[in-house]
Amino acid sequence: MIRNLNIILIFTSVLMLSGVYALKFSIENTASERTALIALIDSQEGDLSLLKADEAVLNQPGHIDPIIKRHEMALAIAPVKQEQFGAFEALPMRPAKPNSAAMDTLFESLEAGVDPIDAILELEGIE
Amino acid sequence: MAVTAEDFGPTISLEGARKARGNLTQARIRWMVLALVLGFGLVGARLIQLGMVVPDSTIEGQARDVITATRPPILDRNGLEMAVDIRVPSLFAEPRRIIDVEEAVRKLRTVLPDLDEAWLRTRLTGDKGFVWVQRELSPTIQDRVMRLGIPGIDFITESKRFYPGMTEASHILGSTNIDNQGIAGIERHMDNEDVALLQELGLARGNALAPVELSVDMRVQHIMHEQLVDALTRYQAIAAAGVMMDVRTGEIIALASLPDFNPNEPATALVKDSFNRITSGIFEPGSIFKTVTMAASLDSGAVTINDDFDARFGVRFGRYTIDDYKGKHRVLSLPEVFKYSSNIGTIRIMQAMGKDNYRAFLTRMGFDQRVPFELPEMRLPSIPKEMSEVSAATASFGHGLSVSPLHMVTAYAAFVNGGNYIAPTLYRRDLAEAQALYQPVIKPSTSADIRYLLRLNAIEGGATQMNKLSLGYRAGGKTGTAEKVVDGAYSSAKNTNFFGSVFPMDNPHYAMIIMVDEPKAENMQSGVTAAWNAGQVSGRIIQRVAPMLGIAPDFAEVLDQNLTPPELR
């Protein structure tokens, strides 16, 4: 009985030992992967911060203004003048409504077989 | 006699030596098995325990806090970055791991020739575990140093503050030192407020910090800065400064002072005369202070806008006579006193309310203490505690006392917004919040009178040059030319010129003070008084920024007529 127990214990020991080692190596592996990832994220965050800073510089009015000034002539642009601003009151009035009564009589006469244009043409001597 | 077993003691049984040993061995093995099982049990239990515990990974990296601690980004009111953190490599050495110091020094100096050889040698010699060699380098230099392959030399990533606007908002932002602590401006104010606390708690890591939104509009700030730079060359002035404030909320829209510095290179802040003239410069305000006298007297009820004042002769105080710059030498109405900027008339107006009441009004307007404001760079104004007749007379037109331009812009804001003093701020503040902080200093009717006077001065008085440039934006203003004291006497050659303006006058929204120090005439035809420089700069700024601030030009004369008080119509 004791012999059997010993054998079981020895096998269990060997198994557990190899299990623990496997676990240790896999953990070390994961840890180094993690470290590499952290380093990668760190460097990418660094790059990102630089890119964001670049973007902020490019967006500054103080950066854009000189570019505009440089191309003022070529693009024919200038700061807006007060006179260039419009107002709703300055818009022209809506054109007068079409004379619908006259149109109605025209269509009625056309339906009745009288073409006023024809009459004009005849008057002019054009057939 | 029978022999019975009872007569004998217990039976003696002798066990063989082998059996006895066998029993002993069995007992020992049992004990051993028990010990082994207990041992394995212990190990197993410990494993289970370890498996159950969730490792606390937050402790990791705590040591890095001090150097990678970040500051919150600073944004302007439209969300544009004014200050951001960038990650930069810093070079450090572990002297105890360096094998050949001479070689390391020689190699390092090929990439970083600025480093002093002797300094570097002493730095790298010894048994220390960590020394900085050079902080905040560029990634290219990092690559080149890495390629040298010197043992005991390595890089660490640090946070560095970067200001994309360069010099433009330098006096607002201030600067940080190499350890990322604010040393000036809003950066320093933020540290005193909460960032330092956050860093102590270890929370200020990563990008977790909420950005700080300022009230500044970078577009307006750019225009103001640009125009002030232009003023320096155009009028060959030694300094120029400007501040614009939202009169309803007290938010500072723009604040610039030249000469300035580049916050990306904090050392440039030490350049002579680059202090913030708006907050920490105190000056004799000159005639822009007449607005204060007008508001004080009109509000006290001692004078009305209909009153006339004798400005035929100068005002005599013993041996001194105070006269007008370009005197009309006749009886002037109150609006005319303002329009022609008459010193005599202003003294009479002040005298009508009495010097003690006038002094009390200056206190009410906060002229004898610092303006409550975020920037740490502040100086106490200088105003006589007790005013004699003469000092009250000179004070009425802005001489013999010194206040900062920030005082003036706050006063102008209060005069036109209906008479409510509101402390300026660099942070966002909405109207409801501001209204809770309002301190009534003058009556709304007095405020309406001041609005009329300022606009009148732009149409007919000393501010017409400004109005010509900003036509349509209904700006009003007052010029102020203060002679500088040179060798104990006022010099007519050196002026500090001010211009206080407000726009649009029909519904005041922005107040602005522009200062030009020691300007010269732009050309033969122009003068050196404030209208020619500070006034024109104000006009140009208003012309450029009004459309950005959503103010459309309106040339309707009825708007100006509406400003006229009913008793003058």
Side-chain angles (χ1 to χ4, degrees):
Chain A
M1 191 272 261
I2 286 169
R3 201 164 137 253
N4 287 346
L5 187 72
N6 277 341
I7 292 169
I8 292 170
L9 280 177
I10 287 166
F11 273 102
T12 327
S13 302
V14 171
L15 260 176
M16 284 181 84
L17 205 68
S18 53
V20 166
Y21 267 96
L23 197 65
K24 176 180 177 281
F25 286 125
S26 90
I27 286 172
E28 273 177 5
N29 220 1
T30 318
S32 74
E33 255 173 54
R34 179 174 172 272
T35 317
L37 277 176
I38 287 175
L40 182 69
I41 291 170
D42 246 24
S43 82
Q44 282 180 344
E45 273 181 354
D47 292 349
L48 193 67
S49 77
L50 287 175
L51 286 174
K52 275 188 176 161
D54 271 352
E55 194 199 4
V57 170
L58 296 176
N59 275 335
Q60 289 292 319
H63 177 82
I64 298 165
D65 197 34
I67 301 173
I68 294 169
K69 289 223 170 80
R70 229 172 17 248
H71 298 93
E72 221 167 22
M73 296 291 277
L75 298 173
I77 44 171
V80 66
K81 291 213 167 48
Q82 287 94 317
E83 299 76 36
Q84 289 174 283
F85 283 88
F88 280 114
E89 298 85 66
L91 290 174
M93 295 301 291
R94 191 193 283 268
K97 274 185 187 166
N99 190 344
S100 48
M103 292 298 277
D104 285 348
T105 38
L106 174 68
F107 287 128
E108 273 165 23
S109 66
L110 278 176
E111 259 168 48
V114 186
D115 191 344
I117 309 285
D118 261 1
I120 296 168
L121 290 177
E122 260 172 49
L123 213 71
E124 296 281 320
I126 306 161
E127 272 303 314
Chain B
M1 178 182 158
V3 175
T4 51
E6 283 94 52
D7 294 333
F8 299 101
T11 315
I12 298 167
S13 63
L14 290 173
E15 289 182 345
R18 179 188 294 256
K19 195 177 176 193
R21 205 181 299 131
N23 280 349
L24 190 67
T25 313
Q26 270 203 346
R28 281 182 183 162
I29 285 175
R30 244 177 241 125
W31 282 114
M32 268 312 290
V33 169
L34 191 70
L36 271 175
V37 167
L38 267 177
F40 271 97
L42 269 173
V43 171
R46 175 74 179 144
L47 277 175
I48 290 167
Q49 188 200 1
L50 286 177
M52 301 286 280
V53 173
V54 180
D56 185 8
S57 61
T58 48
I59 303 161
E60 227 173 304
Q62 284 277 351
R64 286 173 38 196
D65 265 9
V66 189
I67 39 176
T68 53
T70 49
R71 302 175 65 81
I74 300 178
L75 309 180
D76 83 337
R77 65 185 302 125
N78 302 314
L80 188 69
E81 284 98 344
M82 294 174 75
V84 289
D85 269 1
I86 52 172
R87 302 275 190 87
V88 286
S90 280
L91 182 64
F92 72 93
E94 294 165 87
R96 68 167 69 131
R97 284 188 52 216
I98 296 179
I99 301 155
D100 186 347
V101 176
E102 279 312 311
E103 187 203 9
V105 169
R106 192 165 36 76
K107 277 186 170 174
L108 268 180
R109 273 175 48 80
T110 57
V111 179
L112 299 161
D114 291 347
L115 293 178
D116 182 61
E117 200 178 332
W119 174 84
L120 190 59
R121 195 172 294 121
T122 45
R123 199 108 238 245
L124 299 185
T125 323
D127 198 30
K128 287 184 285 289
F130 184 96
V131 287
W132 287 118
V133 177
Q134 177 94 302
R135 294 176 75 176
E136 298 180 353
L137 295 162
S138 69
T140 5
I141 292 192
Q142 182 185 19
D143 266 9
R144 286 170 61 192
V145 173
M146 289 300 242
R147 227 167 278 154
L148 295 175
I150 315 168
I153 296 268
D154 204 356
F155 283 92
I156 197 163
T157 311
E158 278 194 283
S159 278
K160 178 183 168 26
R161 204 60 162 160
F162 175 68
Y163 303 92
M166 310 298 166
T167 61
E168 264 176 16
S170 51
H171 282 114
I172 297 172
L173 294 166
S175 197
T176 54
N177 62 11
I178 204 149
D179 290 320
N180 247 357
Q181 291 157 334
I183 49 170
I186 200 80
E187 294 274 26
R188 184 159 168 204
H189 178 259
M190 267 162 45
D191 275 15
N192 296 342
E193 284 282 284
D194 42 28
V195 176
L197 179 72
L198 285 177
Q199 283 182 346
E200 252 167 51
L201 295 172
L203 294 172
R205 286 191 298 140
N207 296 327
L209 283 180
V212 174
E213 267 188 54
L214 295 190
S215 60
V216 177
D217 189 326
M218 270 313 277
R219 300 169 304 169
V220 180
Q221 177 73 23
H222 166 68
I223 303 278
M224 183 178 276
H225 187 265
E226 183 197 28
Q227 288 301 330
L228 291 174
V229 170
D230 176 62
L232 279 192
T233 50
R234 200 188 276 254
Y235 311 117
Q236 293 155 41
I238 59 165
V243 57
M244 187 187 284
M245 173 174 164
D246 187 320
V247 302
R248 304 181 207 184
T249 60
E251 292 172 292
I252 296 293
I253 305 295
L255 186 159
S257 170
L258 292 168
D260 55 9
F261 61 95
N262 187 350
N264 292 317
E265 300 161 34
T268 55
L270 304 171
V271 173
K272 189 174 164 278
D273 279 346
S274 69
F275 65 99
N276 185 349
R277 285 173 165 74
I278 296 297
T279 56
S280 65
I282 58 169
F283 307 92
E284 287 201 344
S287 299
I288 57 166
F289 211 72
K290 282 178 183 152
T291 318
V292 178
T293 311
M294 294 287 167
S297 298
L298 284 168
D299 198 59
S300 73
V303 298
T304 69
I305 200 132
N306 277 322
D307 288 356
D308 290 331
F309 299 91
D310 185 0
R312 282 176 297 171
F313 314 106
V315 185
R316 285 188 67 92
F317 291 101
R319 290 188 293 122
Y320 301 101
T321 304
I322 298 173
D323 211 339
D324 284 350
Y325 172 62
K326 277 179 184 165
K328 295 283 163 197
H329 297 293
R330 61 178 170 85
V331 173
L332 299 171
S333 69
L334 190 140
E336 279 176 328
V337 169
F338 195 73
K339 200 165 82 177
Y340 300 127
S341 196
S342 162
N343 294 341
I344 306 167
T346 313
I347 294 171
R348 302 251 185 260
I349 288 170
M350 185 278 298
Q351 282 169 342
M353 81 178 290
K355 68 180 172 67
D356 295 330
N357 291 339
Y358 181 59
R359 182 67 187 79
F361 183 78
L362 297 187
T363 307
R364 195 180 342 151
M365 290 305 300
F367 276 119
D368 44 14
Q369 54 189 342
R370 285 187 186 92
V371 181
F373 193 50
E374 285 88 11
L375 294 188
E377 296 84 14
M378 283 277 178
R379 231 182 111 188
L380 266 179
S382 128
I383 290 190
K385 282 250 170 341
E386 297 283 325
M387 279 187 171
S388 64
E389 282 296 330
V390 191
S391 62
T394 52
S396 74
F397 55 88
H399 283 255
L401 49 84
S402 297
V403 295
S404 70
L406 192 65
H407 278 101
M408 289 312 298
V409 81
T410 316
Y412 268 64
F415 292 156
V416 297
N417 73 0
N420 301 301
Y421 183 92
I422 175 80
T425 177
L426 273 172
Y427 293 120
R428 294 295 295 272
R429 188 195 269 162
D430 58 33
L431 193 56
E433 239 174 287
Q435 274 163 347
L437 300 170
Y438 274 178
Q439 286 168 15
V441 279
I442 58 170
K443 294 196 272 283
S445 61
T446 317
S447 175
D449 287 346
I450 297 292
R451 287 207 287 268
Y452 161 70
L453 290 176
L454 285 170
R455 181 66 186 141
L456 176 80
N457 197 38
I459 300 169
E460 299 173 2
T464 42
Q465 300 210 41
M466 178 276 297
N467 195 38
K468 218 180 288 171
L469 290 161
S470 64
L471 215 61
Y473 296 119
R474 292 96 69 203
K478 181 80 192 82
T479 52
T481 309
E483 290 178 352
K484 276 197 166 181
V485 177
V486 179
D487 300 330
Y490 282 108
S491 151
S492 56
K494 287 187 174 176
N495 298 332
T496 315
N497 289 353
F498 292 93
F499 194 91
S501 53
V502 177
F503 66 97
M505 219 67 234
D506 50 309
N507 182 17
H509 211 140
Y510 299 101
M512 178 164 68
I513 299 285
I514 293 290
M515 185 197 95
V516 183
D517 203 1
E518 291 187 25
K520 301 193 177 49
E522 188 183 357
N523 51 44
M524 296 297 279
Q525 287 76 43
S526 53
V528 292
T529 50
W532 292 100
N533 33 67
Q536 291 197 356
V537 172
S538 302
R540 282 188 217 110
I541 293 175
I542 295 172
Q543 185 191 24
R544 292 286 304 278
V545 305
M548 293 174 187
L549 296 169
I551 298 164
D554 195 333
F555 303 94
E557 279 178 12
V558 66
L559 290 175
D560 292 337
Q561 285 157 14
N562 286 344
L563 285 172
T564 315
E567 54 267 39
L568 283 179
R569 279 183 200 160

